[in-house]
Amino acid sequence: MEPPPAGAELSAAWHALSTALVPPAALGLAASRSDSAGLLKDGDLRAALEVLRCYDLHSIVEEWFIEVLQTDLQANIAPEFWNCIGQYENTAEEPQCSLLLLDAFCLLKCRLDPYLNSLELLEKWTKAGLLLGTGAQMLQEKVYTMFKAILFFSTTKSFQEMIQQFYSRTFRIYMRQWKKGEDGMNECESSMSENEQESDTEESGGESPLCAGCSSKREECWCPKAMEQFQQLNDILRRLNLLERVSADAVTTILHRMIEERMEQRCRGEYERSFLNEFQEWIEKVIGWLSRVFLQDSPLARSTPEASNTLKRWRCHVQRFFYRIYASMRIEELFSIIRDFPESKPAVEDLKFCLERTNQRQQLLSSLKSALEMRLLHPGVNTSDIITLYISAIKALRELDPSMVILEVACEPIRKYLRTREDTVRQIVAGLTGDAEGSGDLANELSKADPVTLENGQESDDDISEPGDWVPDPVDADPGKSSSKRRSSDIISLLVSIYGSKDLFINEYRTLLADRLLHQFNYSAEREIRNVELLKLRFGEAQMHYCEVMLKDMADSRRINANIRDEEEKLPEEERPPFSLVAVILSSEFWPPLKEEKLELPEQVKEAMEAYSKKYEKLKAMRTLNWKYHLGLVSLDVELADRTLSLSVSPVHAAIILHFQTKSTWTLTELSEVLKVPVTSLKRKMTLWLQQGVLREEPQGTFTVIEEEQKDQVEKVVLIDSDEEGDSAMASQADQKEEELQLFWTYIQAMLTNLESLSLERIHSMLKMFVMTGPVVTEIDIQELQGFLQKKVRDQQLIYSGGVYRLPKNCS
Amino acid sequence: MRVKIRGWNGVASWLWVANDENCGICRMAFNGCCPDCKVPGDDCPLVWGQCSHCFHMHCILKWLNSQQVQQHCPMCRQEWKFRE
């Protein structure tokens, strides 16, 4: 046979090649010749390629292939596919819908399969050196990129929904099956699967007519079918290399949603157990599902490094996402967690674990700070509650961050706020001594062994015993403070340091102690001594010295009283004093300043006191007593015509009622004169006797004894000032301050005499210049000064007009 | 009406019967104690000289011990003699 002419040979070869490589429809040919393409063998095609090589045309084969593919994709395949998907809009039923999805992808695969086959062929030829290759980018990659670019450059919303629905359904079914398997393995699993049963209402037991996996009727359950479809779809997508493009988004969304949902259900508000392990297990199951999506089902494919890499990436992602979400949730709940500490310790430990893996310290700090400000630091919260929470926070955050930086930063607002509360010191001191209810914490802390002394000794960074144990401070630490100082802080030192000085605490403690000893008469000497000893360990011997002397005074007084009583008992009956007088004898220099009140006691009491003083003087040479008439406690019986009352009252009350013995009617002014007590405060004191029904006030300002109770009379309700009984025997802080300010008054008067009139600021700055630098260092801020001056204006010792202060004319 | 006092718990502070408030040697209050002492009163008593000046006992003893030749009252320079 004569060889065909060159043109014909080339044309035949091209024809053979082109029809073999692409489906005929793409070339605009009739599909009838489908038989020939399948029959062509590799050998024939190679021959055809050889012909092309002769004409140097083999280089265009690949470009041509891509060109055809692109045109086909754009013109036919993509519209067809999207058309198919578009039908979803009219399909409501889920099973049909997923069927449709699968169909669409099957069709796509059908259309693209010939190209993929040819692609393999071309690859093989390139490897064999028959083709030139397409430069740096492999032909395969080019083709896959094109699939993505043309088919899924932009996906419709409904398509995304479909994919989403499909994957979340199969996820449910998968998790369901796993659980069933697990339940089957051991029926009575731990609390975990019990909870599982609680949270998922439909349990496989069968109370619900719906299948838990596919939520359709049990008899119509399509779970197995769905899993089959799931497998098919994944295979197709893998084949087309579209898996990541199409499913990654949906899978991520599903995982995130599932983790969030599960966490909401399980963990929110539940701080008393750890969830990390439980979730770790769960995540492993999720990874199992992921491996179904991203890996071929054959065990062979699973072991390839590429596959394990993919899984590793996903596992990493899921875990990190879990840590982040979990930490966020715990951070959001941190306030409650702190409140519940130590019951919430597992939650704190979980959070610590997660924080080490996520970058959320900053989030934690700002969230906790604002939670504290919102929920704690406002006028509606008792100081003792704030202190209790602060103590919890110290404990919890110490657990969370051993470097104590979080504690330091987050709790700064609490400390700042506590500084503005007047009763903070009192509350803390009360807590320390176990007086306040619900603050046993502090008392326990105080009695802990090996306390940290608050003496500011030499503290340096290099006193850590093991250099290898050194850990750098977190980045948000305040570089100005040494880490060892921060770490060594215990609860009491933190509380005491709120004000920056321990003197304030010692003074407050002294005042409270004096109050208990003098006013309330209900103290336990042993406990007080123990407390002082414990405080001595912390604050040092010198600071607590005053308190020690106070307690010693109490013991000495008891001894002296016993001594004097013995003496009295030796006397003959008629010379004995009419009532027993017991005294608390103070070393005045060591007690806080006592409130001075004037009170004139009835003669018989004064006599008894003088007699006592005499005996004391005999006992202690060259010493005498200075009685504080208004302090103490008197127990007495009031014998009326028809009744007897036994009461314990203050000396003022006793003095009042004693006067009514001699005269049954007194006016307020008369009483005020004999008692030397101002009318206003006397009036308040009268209420006790009115309330006891011993006296009546009729008319106003005149008091008479009620000898016989009149039952038929309308009961009189007399209100007593509740704060009166709780009055402290100590001069209040305000009184003490005022005394200090009195020091300034002479300076201010001198200033105003010389300069006539001065503004508030001038007075303040001049005082600062001349007085506050002197030997007596007394600070005064401008608000205090203003208050003081205004008081002077009210007392008419100053005139204030036009923004300046002036002395009244007659004063100078 | 009759009022029977069963018991009176009073409060008093003790003080030295002295003509001054502070010790002339240590400048501390008599009712307190000398710088070497912790507890006032019995543990840190006052003593009077015949010149009628008084000091913390510990203070005046220290002073007298430091005097080489003759012992004088640090206030009035008279010869120091304890008042009985």
Side-chain angles (χ1 to χ4, degrees), chain A residues 585-611:
Chain A
I585 301 164
L586 319 176
S587 304
S588 51
E589 295 290 317
F590 294 80
W591 287 68
L594 299 175
K595 217 192 262 175
E596 288 299 336
E597 261 173 48
K598 242 182 120 64
L599 174 67
E600 193 73 21
L601 291 176
E603 217 42 56
Q604 58 172 131
V605 182
K606 264 170 49 186
E607 272 166 25
M609 286 181 172
E610 264 160 42

PDB file of all heavy atoms in Angstrom, chain A residues 585-611:
ATOM      1  N   ILE A 585      -8.180  48.966 134.877  1.00  0.00           N
ATOM      2  CA  ILE A 585      -7.212  50.047 135.055  1.00  0.00           C
ATOM      3  C   ILE A 585      -6.259  50.072 133.869  1.00  0.00           C
ATOM      4  O   ILE A 585      -5.579  49.088 133.566  1.00  0.00           O
ATOM      5  CB  ILE A 585      -6.438  49.868 136.376  1.00  0.00           C
ATOM      6  CG1 ILE A 585      -7.447  49.873 137.524  1.00  0.00           C
ATOM      7  CG2 ILE A 585      -5.427  50.979 136.555  1.00  0.00           C
ATOM      8  CD1 ILE A 585      -6.906  49.339 138.811  1.00  0.00           C
ATOM      9  N   LEU A 586      -6.259  51.192 133.176  1.00  0.00           N
ATOM     10  CA  LEU A 586      -5.540  51.282 131.915  1.00  0.00           C
ATOM     11  C   LEU A 586      -4.219  52.011 132.076  1.00  0.00           C
ATOM     12  O   LEU A 586      -4.096  52.933 132.874  1.00  0.00           O
ATOM     13  CB  LEU A 586      -6.359  52.068 130.887  1.00  0.00           C
ATOM     14  CG  LEU A 586      -7.852  51.815 130.825  1.00  0.00           C
ATOM     15  CD1 LEU A 586      -8.479  52.766 129.820  1.00  0.00           C
ATOM     16  CD2 LEU A 586      -8.100  50.381 130.416  1.00  0.00           C
ATOM     17  N   SER A 587      -3.257  51.608 131.257  1.00  0.00           N
ATOM     18  CA  SER A 587      -2.047  52.418 131.117  1.00  0.00           C
ATOM     19  C   SER A 587      -2.333  53.376 129.967  1.00  0.00           C
ATOM     20  O   SER A 587      -2.234  53.001 128.803  1.00  0.00           O
ATOM     21  CB  SER A 587      -0.855  51.538 130.761  1.00  0.00           C
ATOM     22  OG  SER A 587      -0.712  50.527 131.720  1.00  0.00           O
ATOM     23  N   SER A 588      -2.678  54.585 130.305  1.00  0.00           N
ATOM     24  CA  SER A 588      -3.272  55.477 129.305  1.00  0.00           C
ATOM     25  C   SER A 588      -2.385  55.693 128.083  1.00  0.00           C
ATOM     26  O   SER A 588      -2.886  55.883 126.974  1.00  0.00           O
ATOM     27  CB  SER A 588      -3.607  56.819 129.943  1.00  0.00           C
ATOM     28  OG  SER A 588      -2.465  57.299 130.617  1.00  0.00           O
ATOM     29  N   GLU A 589      -1.080  55.637 128.275  1.00  0.00           N
ATOM     30  CA  GLU A 589      -0.195  55.912 127.138  1.00  0.00           C
ATOM     31  C   GLU A 589      -0.298  54.843 126.057  1.00  0.00           C
ATOM     32  O   GLU A 589       0.114  55.057 124.926  1.00  0.00           O
ATOM     33  CB  GLU A 589       1.261  55.966 127.612  1.00  0.00           C
ATOM     34  CG  GLU A 589       1.577  57.094 128.538  1.00  0.00           C
ATOM     35  CD  GLU A 589       1.561  58.438 127.831  1.00  0.00           C
ATOM     36  OE1 GLU A 589       2.095  58.506 126.710  1.00  0.00           O
ATOM     37  OE2 GLU A 589       1.006  59.396 128.390  1.00  0.00           O
ATOM     38  N   PHE A 590      -0.780  53.696 126.432  1.00  0.00           N
ATOM     39  CA  PHE A 590      -0.738  52.577 125.493  1.00  0.00           C
ATOM     40  C   PHE A 590      -2.079  52.264 124.856  1.00  0.00           C
ATOM     41  O   PHE A 590      -2.175  51.425 124.000  1.00  0.00           O
ATOM     42  CB  PHE A 590      -0.189  51.327 126.200  1.00  0.00           C
ATOM     43  CG  PHE A 590       1.241  51.478 126.596  1.00  0.00           C
ATOM     44  CD1 PHE A 590       1.593  52.177 127.732  1.00  0.00           C
ATOM     45  CD2 PHE A 590       2.237  50.970 125.784  1.00  0.00           C
ATOM     46  CE1 PHE A 590       2.914  52.339 128.079  1.00  0.00           C
ATOM     47  CE2 PHE A 590       3.564  51.133 126.124  1.00  0.00           C
ATOM     48  CZ  PHE A 590       3.910  51.826 127.277  1.00  0.00           C
ATOM     49  N   TRP A 591      -3.095  52.967 125.318  1.00  0.00           N
ATOM     50  CA  TRP A 591      -4.418  52.749 124.739  1.00  0.00           C
ATOM     51  C   TRP A 591      -4.702  53.815 123.711  1.00  0.00           C
ATOM     52  O   TRP A 591      -4.185  54.922 123.801  1.00  0.00           O
ATOM     53  CB  TRP A 591      -5.487  52.783 125.839  1.00  0.00           C
ATOM     54  CG  TRP A 591      -5.456  51.568 126.702  1.00  0.00           C
ATOM     55  CD1 TRP A 591      -4.468  51.226 127.567  1.00  0.00           C
ATOM     56  CD2 TRP A 591      -6.428  50.539 126.772  1.00  0.00           C
ATOM     57  NE1 TRP A 591      -4.754  50.042 128.185  1.00  0.00           N
ATOM     58  CE2 TRP A 591      -5.967  49.584 127.713  1.00  0.00           C
ATOM     59  CE3 TRP A 591      -7.655  50.315 126.133  1.00  0.00           C
ATOM     60  CZ2 TRP A 591      -6.682  48.436 128.024  1.00  0.00           C
ATOM     61  CZ3 TRP A 591      -8.367  49.174 126.448  1.00  0.00           C
ATOM     62  CH2 TRP A 591      -7.881  48.234 127.386  1.00  0.00           C
ATOM     63  N   PRO A 592      -5.531  53.494 122.748  1.00  0.00           N
ATOM     64  CA  PRO A 592      -5.916  54.546 121.806  1.00  0.00           C
ATOM     65  C   PRO A 592      -6.674  55.636 122.573  1.00  0.00           C
ATOM     66  O   PRO A 592      -7.238  55.366 123.628  1.00  0.00           O
ATOM     67  CB  PRO A 592      -6.814  53.828 120.801  1.00  0.00           C
ATOM     68  CG  PRO A 592      -7.167  52.528 121.413  1.00  0.00           C
ATOM     69  CD  PRO A 592      -6.141  52.211 122.420  1.00  0.00           C
ATOM     70  N   PRO A 593      -6.677  56.852 122.043  1.00  0.00           N
ATOM     71  CA  PRO A 593      -7.352  57.945 122.763  1.00  0.00           C
ATOM     72  C   PRO A 593      -8.805  57.590 123.042  1.00  0.00           C
ATOM     73  O   PRO A 593      -9.526  57.152 122.152  1.00  0.00           O
ATOM     74  CB  PRO A 593      -7.261  59.127 121.798  1.00  0.00           C
ATOM     75  CG  PRO A 593      -6.427  58.695 120.664  1.00  0.00           C
ATOM     76  CD  PRO A 593      -6.095  57.268 120.783  1.00  0.00           C
ATOM     77  N   LEU A 594      -9.219  57.788 124.278  1.00  0.00           N
ATOM     78  CA  LEU A 594     -10.600  57.458 124.641  1.00  0.00           C
ATOM     79  C   LEU A 594     -11.491  58.672 124.413  1.00  0.00           C
ATOM     80  O   LEU A 594     -11.038  59.809 124.528  1.00  0.00           O
ATOM     81  CB  LEU A 594     -10.666  57.053 126.118  1.00  0.00           C
ATOM     82  CG  LEU A 594      -9.848  55.835 126.499  1.00  0.00           C
ATOM     83  CD1 LEU A 594      -9.901  55.619 127.996  1.00  0.00           C
ATOM     84  CD2 LEU A 594     -10.358  54.606 125.777  1.00  0.00           C
ATOM     85  N   LYS A 595     -12.714  58.401 124.123  1.00  0.00           N
ATOM     86  CA  LYS A 595     -13.674  59.478 123.919  1.00  0.00           C
ATOM     87  C   LYS A 595     -13.894  60.177 125.264  1.00  0.00           C
ATOM     88  O   LYS A 595     -14.112  59.512 126.277  1.00  0.00           O
ATOM     89  CB  LYS A 595     -14.986  58.863 123.445  1.00  0.00           C
ATOM     90  CG  LYS A 595     -15.723  59.687 122.417  1.00  0.00           C
ATOM     91  CD  LYS A 595     -17.110  59.148 122.231  1.00  0.00           C
ATOM     92  CE  LYS A 595     -17.197  58.237 121.023  1.00  0.00           C
ATOM     93  NZ  LYS A 595     -18.524  57.616 120.911  1.00  0.00           N
ATOM     94  N   GLU A 596     -13.812  61.472 125.248  1.00  0.00           N
ATOM     95  CA  GLU A 596     -14.050  62.196 126.503  1.00  0.00           C
ATOM     96  C   GLU A 596     -15.506  62.626 126.565  1.00  0.00           C
ATOM     97  O   GLU A 596     -16.013  63.272 125.663  1.00  0.00           O
ATOM     98  CB  GLU A 596     -13.133  63.416 126.587  1.00  0.00           C
ATOM     99  CG  GLU A 596     -11.660  63.084 126.833  1.00  0.00           C
ATOM    100  CD  GLU A 596     -11.404  62.349 128.138  1.00  0.00           C
ATOM    101  OE1 GLU A 596     -12.229  62.480 129.068  1.00  0.00           O
ATOM    102  OE2 GLU A 596     -10.388  61.632 128.231  1.00  0.00           O
ATOM    103  N   GLU A 597     -16.157  62.255 127.640  1.00  0.00           N
ATOM    104  CA  GLU A 597     -17.538  62.708 127.829  1.00  0.00           C
ATOM    105  C   GLU A 597     -17.657  63.127 129.282  1.00  0.00           C
ATOM    106  O   GLU A 597     -17.098  62.486 130.164  1.00  0.00           O
ATOM    107  CB  GLU A 597     -18.517  61.561 127.554  1.00  0.00           C
ATOM    108  CG  GLU A 597     -19.133  61.588 126.182  1.00  0.00           C
ATOM    109  CD  GLU A 597     -19.948  60.344 125.932  1.00  0.00           C
ATOM    110  OE1 GLU A 597     -20.757  59.998 126.812  1.00  0.00           O
ATOM    111  OE2 GLU A 597     -19.753  59.718 124.877  1.00  0.00           O
ATOM    112  N   LYS A 598     -18.395  64.171 129.499  1.00  0.00           N
ATOM    113  CA  LYS A 598     -18.551  64.595 130.882  1.00  0.00           C
ATOM    114  C   LYS A 598     -19.745  63.883 131.501  1.00  0.00           C
ATOM    115  O   LYS A 598     -20.771  63.687 130.856  1.00  0.00           O
ATOM    116  CB  LYS A 598     -18.773  66.109 130.939  1.00  0.00           C
ATOM    117  CG  LYS A 598     -17.651  66.804 131.706  1.00  0.00           C
ATOM    118  CD  LYS A 598     -17.874  68.280 131.816  1.00  0.00           C
ATOM    119  CE  LYS A 598     -17.958  68.715 133.236  1.00  0.00           C
ATOM    120  NZ  LYS A 598     -16.834  68.586 134.089  1.00  0.00           N
ATOM    121  N   LEU A 599     -19.545  63.466 132.739  1.00  0.00           N
ATOM    122  CA  LEU A 599     -20.660  62.843 133.448  1.00  0.00           C
ATOM    123  C   LEU A 599     -20.404  62.960 134.946  1.00  0.00           C
ATOM    124  O   LEU A 599     -19.323  62.653 135.430  1.00  0.00           O
ATOM    125  CB  LEU A 599     -20.776  61.361 133.047  1.00  0.00           C
ATOM    126  CG  LEU A 599     -21.814  60.556 133.824  1.00  0.00           C
ATOM    127  CD1 LEU A 599     -23.223  61.034 133.495  1.00  0.00           C
ATOM    128  CD2 LEU A 599     -21.679  59.063 133.509  1.00  0.00           C
ATOM    129  N   GLU A 600     -21.386  63.448 135.637  1.00  0.00           N
ATOM    130  CA  GLU A 600     -21.298  63.561 137.087  1.00  0.00           C
ATOM    131  C   GLU A 600     -22.102  62.408 137.683  1.00  0.00           C
ATOM    132  O   GLU A 600     -23.307  62.302 137.453  1.00  0.00           O
ATOM    133  CB  GLU A 600     -21.889  64.924 137.520  1.00  0.00           C
ATOM    134  CG  GLU A 600     -21.591  65.315 138.947  1.00  0.00           C
ATOM    135  CD  GLU A 600     -20.139  65.725 139.158  1.00  0.00           C
ATOM    136  OE1 GLU A 600     -19.471  66.082 138.179  1.00  0.00           O
ATOM    137  OE2 GLU A 600     -19.690  65.679 140.317  1.00  0.00           O
ATOM    138  N   LEU A 601     -21.415  61.535 138.424  1.00  0.00           N
ATOM    139  CA  LEU A 601     -22.120  60.375 138.967  1.00  0.00           C
ATOM    140  C   LEU A 601     -22.731  60.720 140.328  1.00  0.00           C
ATOM    141  O   LEU A 601     -22.261  61.640 141.015  1.00  0.00           O
ATOM    142  CB  LEU A 601     -21.138  59.211 139.125  1.00  0.00           C
ATOM    143  CG  LEU A 601     -20.635  58.606 137.814  1.00  0.00           C
ATOM    144  CD1 LEU A 601     -19.609  57.528 138.105  1.00  0.00           C
ATOM    145  CD2 LEU A 601     -21.784  58.041 136.993  1.00  0.00           C
ATOM    146  N   PRO A 602     -23.741  59.990 140.715  1.00  0.00           N
ATOM    147  CA  PRO A 602     -24.337  60.228 142.026  1.00  0.00           C
ATOM    148  C   PRO A 602     -23.314  60.030 143.148  1.00  0.00           C
ATOM    149  O   PRO A 602     -22.334  59.303 142.980  1.00  0.00           O
ATOM    150  CB  PRO A 602     -25.433  59.173 142.115  1.00  0.00           C
ATOM    151  CG  PRO A 602     -25.733  58.811 140.716  1.00  0.00           C
ATOM    152  CD  PRO A 602     -24.473  58.999 139.945  1.00  0.00           C
ATOM    153  N   GLU A 603     -23.602  60.665 144.240  1.00  0.00           N
ATOM    154  CA  GLU A 603     -22.650  60.719 145.347  1.00  0.00           C
ATOM    155  C   GLU A 603     -22.182  59.334 145.794  1.00  0.00           C
ATOM    156  O   GLU A 603     -20.995  59.090 145.945  1.00  0.00           O
ATOM    157  CB  GLU A 603     -23.328  61.460 146.527  1.00  0.00           C
ATOM    158  CG  GLU A 603     -22.414  62.362 147.344  1.00  0.00           C
ATOM    159  CD  GLU A 603     -21.430  63.188 146.510  1.00  0.00           C
ATOM    160  OE1 GLU A 603     -21.839  63.951 145.588  1.00  0.00           O
ATOM    161  OE2 GLU A 603     -20.235  63.042 146.779  1.00  0.00           O
ATOM    162  N   GLN A 604     -23.134  58.403 145.963  1.00  0.00           N
ATOM    163  CA  GLN A 604     -22.760  57.098 146.499  1.00  0.00           C
ATOM    164  C   GLN A 604     -21.752  56.365 145.605  1.00  0.00           C
ATOM    165  O   GLN A 604     -20.862  55.698 146.088  1.00  0.00           O
ATOM    166  CB  GLN A 604     -24.010  56.228 146.690  1.00  0.00           C
ATOM    167  CG  GLN A 604     -24.796  56.028 145.401  1.00  0.00           C
ATOM    168  CD  GLN A 604     -25.908  55.017 145.562  1.00  0.00           C
ATOM    169  OE1 GLN A 604     -27.040  55.262 145.180  1.00  0.00           O
ATOM    170  NE2 GLN A 604     -25.578  53.874 146.146  1.00  0.00           N
ATOM    171  N   VAL A 605     -21.886  56.566 144.290  1.00  0.00           N
ATOM    172  CA  VAL A 605     -20.973  55.908 143.364  1.00  0.00           C
ATOM    173  C   VAL A 605     -19.597  56.556 143.435  1.00  0.00           C
ATOM    174  O   VAL A 605     -18.562  55.886 143.465  1.00  0.00           O
ATOM    175  CB  VAL A 605     -21.521  55.974 141.927  1.00  0.00           C
ATOM    176  CG1 VAL A 605     -20.603  55.241 140.974  1.00  0.00           C
ATOM    177  CG2 VAL A 605     -22.929  55.413 141.864  1.00  0.00           C
ATOM    178  N   LYS A 606     -19.643  57.888 143.486  1.00  0.00           N
ATOM    179  CA  LYS A 606     -18.370  58.600 143.553  1.00  0.00           C
ATOM    180  C   LYS A 606     -17.600  58.217 144.822  1.00  0.00           C
ATOM    181  O   LYS A 606     -16.386  58.030 144.787  1.00  0.00           O
ATOM    182  CB  LYS A 606     -18.612  60.106 143.502  1.00  0.00           C
ATOM    183  CG  LYS A 606     -18.462  60.611 142.072  1.00  0.00           C
ATOM    184  CD  LYS A 606     -18.886  62.018 141.781  1.00  0.00           C
ATOM    185  CE  LYS A 606     -18.397  63.109 142.667  1.00  0.00           C
ATOM    186  NZ  LYS A 606     -19.050  64.398 142.283  1.00  0.00           N
ATOM    187  N   GLU A 607     -18.350  58.095 145.899  1.00  0.00           N
ATOM    188  CA  GLU A 607     -17.713  57.693 147.160  1.00  0.00           C
ATOM    189  C   GLU A 607     -17.051  56.336 147.018  1.00  0.00           C
ATOM    190  O   GLU A 607     -15.908  56.131 147.429  1.00  0.00           O
ATOM    191  CB  GLU A 607     -18.751  57.640 148.281  1.00  0.00           C
ATOM    192  CG  GLU A 607     -18.929  58.972 148.966  1.00  0.00           C
ATOM    193  CD  GLU A 607     -20.179  58.982 149.834  1.00  0.00           C
ATOM    194  OE1 GLU A 607     -20.613  57.880 150.262  1.00  0.00           O
ATOM    195  OE2 GLU A 607     -20.733  60.069 150.047  1.00  0.00           O
ATOM    196  N   ALA A 608     -17.786  55.417 146.404  1.00  0.00           N
ATOM    197  CA  ALA A 608     -17.237  54.077 146.223  1.00  0.00           C
ATOM    198  C   ALA A 608     -15.968  54.132 145.389  1.00  0.00           C
ATOM    199  O   ALA A 608     -14.983  53.443 145.672  1.00  0.00           O
ATOM    200  CB  ALA A 608     -18.274  53.187 145.552  1.00  0.00           C
ATOM    201  N   MET A 609     -15.987  54.978 144.386  1.00  0.00           N
ATOM    202  CA  MET A 609     -14.809  55.080 143.525  1.00  0.00           C
ATOM    203  C   MET A 609     -13.630  55.694 144.263  1.00  0.00           C
ATOM    204  O   MET A 609     -12.485  55.274 144.095  1.00  0.00           O
ATOM    205  CB  MET A 609     -15.144  55.905 142.281  1.00  0.00           C
ATOM    206  CG  MET A 609     -16.008  55.131 141.307  1.00  0.00           C
ATOM    207  SD  MET A 609     -16.388  56.074 139.845  1.00  0.00           S
ATOM    208  CE  MET A 609     -17.166  54.807 138.855  1.00  0.00           C
ATOM    209  N   GLU A 610     -13.936  56.685 145.067  1.00  0.00           N
ATOM    210  CA  GLU A 610     -12.861  57.298 145.845  1.00  0.00           C
ATOM    211  C   GLU A 610     -12.253  56.280 146.807  1.00  0.00           C
ATOM    212  O   GLU A 610     -11.028  56.201 146.952  1.00  0.00           O
ATOM    213  CB  GLU A 610     -13.381  58.511 146.616  1.00  0.00           C
ATOM    214  CG  GLU A 610     -13.124  59.814 145.866  1.00  0.00           C
ATOM    215  CD  GLU A 610     -14.019  60.921 146.342  1.00  0.00           C
ATOM    216  OE1 GLU A 610     -14.225  61.043 147.565  1.00  0.00           O
ATOM    217  OE2 GLU A 610     -14.550  61.662 145.486  1.00  0.00           O
ATOM    218  N   ALA A 611     -13.145  55.499 147.404  1.00  0.00           N
ATOM    219  CA  ALA A 611     -12.654  54.467 148.319  1.00  0.00           C
ATOM    220  C   ALA A 611     -11.756  53.490 147.567  1.00  0.00           C
ATOM    221  O   ALA A 611     -10.691  53.096 148.061  1.00  0.00           O
ATOM    222  CB  ALA A 611     -13.830  53.728 148.936  1.00  0.00           C
TER     223      ALA A 611
END
